[in-house]
Amino acid sequence: MLLFGSMFLMIKGQEVPPEWVKYTYGGYFYDVQSAKNVRGLLETVFKQYLLDVARTNLAKTVQTRVEDEALMHKQAVDGRSRTAYVSTIRFSTDVDLRFVETATVYNPQTQEGKAIAFINKSTACQYYEKEARISLSKMENALKVAENYVQAGFNAKARAELDGVVVELEKIATPFFWLSFFGFPKQELEDLLEQRNRLERQVKQRASELQNANRIYLSCTADLYGQPYFKLQNEIKGMLSEAGCSWVSDATQADWVISVVASARNYNSNTIGNTTTFFAYVDAQIVIDKTVTGQRIYADEVTVKGGHTLNFTEAARAAYKDVSKEIEKVINNIINN
């Protein structure tokens, strides 16, 4: 650019050809450059130089307007999500320059050339409106899919679907900014924003409701050589609560009805030197029913071995500690898939 710049007279704006006049109206961003080919370069090279200058100046114009627009919105933030999103995004003029169109004219007799680079605001608006509506449609569909999952008793899948909506909420901020920037009709933009805000409220509310959506009724009995072992039930509940489950005392109000029946049994002992290690097994029968469909989804047994140097009872306690983890894995695998 510096090399070419030294070859020409100062580039200055002149009257544009009649066919370009429409590009200088309010519906366009534009830059026009004109100069005389005083060094006698090839016409194609000369026109390309003018186009490069026009594109560069147009980029500067757009960048300045983008910064002003972002600042204006930042100052207008009122704490509501309806407006706050536009002040948290950094924009690049590379995004907008995808819409740049160009034209050139050259007079061989006078060696004068002109170039224009312009952006049709209406074309840009059509592009970003399409992007915005696609994102809105994805959000609406995701909400419907999530509700279908809820009705089928797959609350975990419903939550995962809503997590995807959060991604769309982040993506949709950009096209809304550019719609405002390129002068999309105010009322239509407000309608789209209202739709976006409504969907956001629905997503957040439903996600909150599903935070502890897997309602579980648990029946758990555990025997430790004739004595009840209540710790098993508490450990299972504690682990599943951390995974987002809630507990109900009425099986008819539950999404899942789970029954665990566990008992301990001696295995053997092993003496090495002065140390004897005792081994015991805990067998846990697990039954999982899905309330909404009345199906028995799982019915099987988990067996875990434990060891201790004190006695069989402590060995069984060690086995119970590990069997609770295995039970939690089984339950999570069923209700979250």
Side-chain angles (χ1 to χ4, degrees):
M1 291 294 288
L2 291 174
L3 175 63
F4 282 127
S6 65
M7 297 180 181
F8 302 106
L9 297 174
M10 182 181 297
I11 295 175
K12 57 183 181 179
Q14 296 181 357
E15 291 184 3
V16 300
E19 61 270 24
W20 294 0
V21 171
K22 62 181 180 181
Y23 303 135
T24 64
Y25 294 156
Y28 297 84
F29 289 131
Y30 72 96
D31 186 82
V32 176
Q33 296 296 321
S34 65
K36 192 169 184 177
N37 187 4
V38 295
R39 300 298 297 271
L41 293 180
L42 291 174
E43 177 182 334
T44 54
V45 175
F46 181 69
K47 290 194 294 185
Q48 185 59 52
Y49 169 71
L50 292 179
L51 283 176
D52 288 341
V53 175
R55 288 194 188 96
T56 299
N57 286 346
L58 180 59
K60 291 178 181 178
T61 299
V62 172
Q63 180 64 58
T64 300
R65 288 176 179 269
V66 166
E67 291 173 353
D68 288 346
E69 183 83 358
L71 179 61
M72 179 190 70
H73 283 292
K74 185 174 182 179
Q75 293 172 339
V77 171
D78 58 8
R80 299 172 60 188
S81 61
R82 185 176 64 85
T83 59
Y85 72 89
V86 295
S87 66
T88 60
I89 302 170
R90 293 181 179 179
F91 299 95
S92 168
T93 54
D94 293 339
V95 176
D96 303 280
L97 295 184
R98 77 180 74 181
F99 303 111
V100 171
E101 298 178 67
T102 60
T104 59
V105 293
Y106 185 76
N107 188 327
Q109 283 73 39
T110 63
Q111 295 185 317
E112 291 181 339
K114 296 178 186 293
I116 184 171
F118 61 91
I119 297 174
N120 187 327
K121 296 179 183 179
S122 176
T123 299
C125 282
Q126 291 174 11
Y127 174 87
Y128 286 114
E129 180 187 9
K130 182 178 179 181
E131 277 203 341
R133 292 191 183 280
I134 288 175
S135 290
L136 290 171
S137 178
K138 287 181 179 179
M139 291 164 64
E140 289 181 329
N141 289 337
L143 279 167
K144 291 177 182 178
V145 171
E147 288 306 314
N148 288 337
Y149 278 138
V150 170
Q151 294 301 319
F154 296 107
N155 293 328
K157 289 186 176 181
R159 286 199 303 270
E161 192 69 26
L162 293 179
D163 288 340
V165 177
V166 174
V167 176
E168 287 300 322
L169 283 170
E170 295 174 356
K171 289 168 56 178
I172 203 172
T174 298
F176 271 118
F177 177 90
W178 291 116
L179 284 173
S180 175
F181 177 78
F182 285 115
F184 193 66
K186 183 178 179 180
Q187 186 57 54
E188 293 182 44
L189 181 58
E190 288 182 353
D191 291 342
L192 284 174
L193 279 169
E194 176 54 35
Q195 186 178 357
R196 186 258 186 199
N197 294 331
R198 173 178 56 80
L199 289 170
E200 180 181 22
R201 290 191 296 269
Q202 291 177 347
V203 168
K204 289 182 177 180
Q205 179 180 347
R206 201 68 182 101
S208 177
E209 294 170 353
L210 289 170
Q211 186 62 38
N212 295 299
N214 277 318
R215 296 168 299 177
I216 296 176
Y217 175 83
L218 175 65
S219 171
C220 180
T221 59
D223 177 76
L224 182 63
Y225 301 124
Q227 297 296 320
Y229 186 76
F230 299 112
K231 192 173 181 180
L232 178 62
Q233 176 173 290
N234 295 334
E235 288 178 346
I236 294 173
K237 283 189 173 183
M239 288 185 287
L240 292 177
S241 293
E242 291 179 2
C245 298
S246 60
W247 306 93
V248 295
S249 57
D250 184 351
T252 62
Q253 300 299 315
D255 299 308
W256 302 89
V257 174
I258 300 174
S259 172
V260 176
V261 178
S263 61
R265 57 184 170 89
N266 294 349
Y267 177 55
N268 64 12
S269 61
N270 184 25
T271 301
I272 300 177
N274 295 324
T275 303
T276 299
T277 303
F278 300 88
F279 296 97
Y281 278 107
V282 167
D283 305 309
Q285 296 178 341
I286 308 169
V287 175
I288 303 176
D289 294 328
K290 188 175 183 180
T291 308
V292 70
T293 60
Q295 292 175 291
R296 175 148 294 178
I297 306 300
Y298 183 90
D300 207 343
E301 185 175 85
V302 172
T303 298
V304 173
K305 181 181 179 182
H308 202 280
T309 58
L310 190 59
N311 52 43
F312 283 113
T313 299
E314 293 306 316
R317 290 181 188 276
Y320 262 119
K321 185 175 182 180
D322 289 334
V323 84
S324 64
K325 297 176 184 177
E326 294 302 314
I327 294 171
E328 186 258 347
K329 288 180 184 178
V330 169
I331 296 174
N332 259 331
N333 185 56
I334 296 297
I335 68 177
N336 290 325
N337 291 287

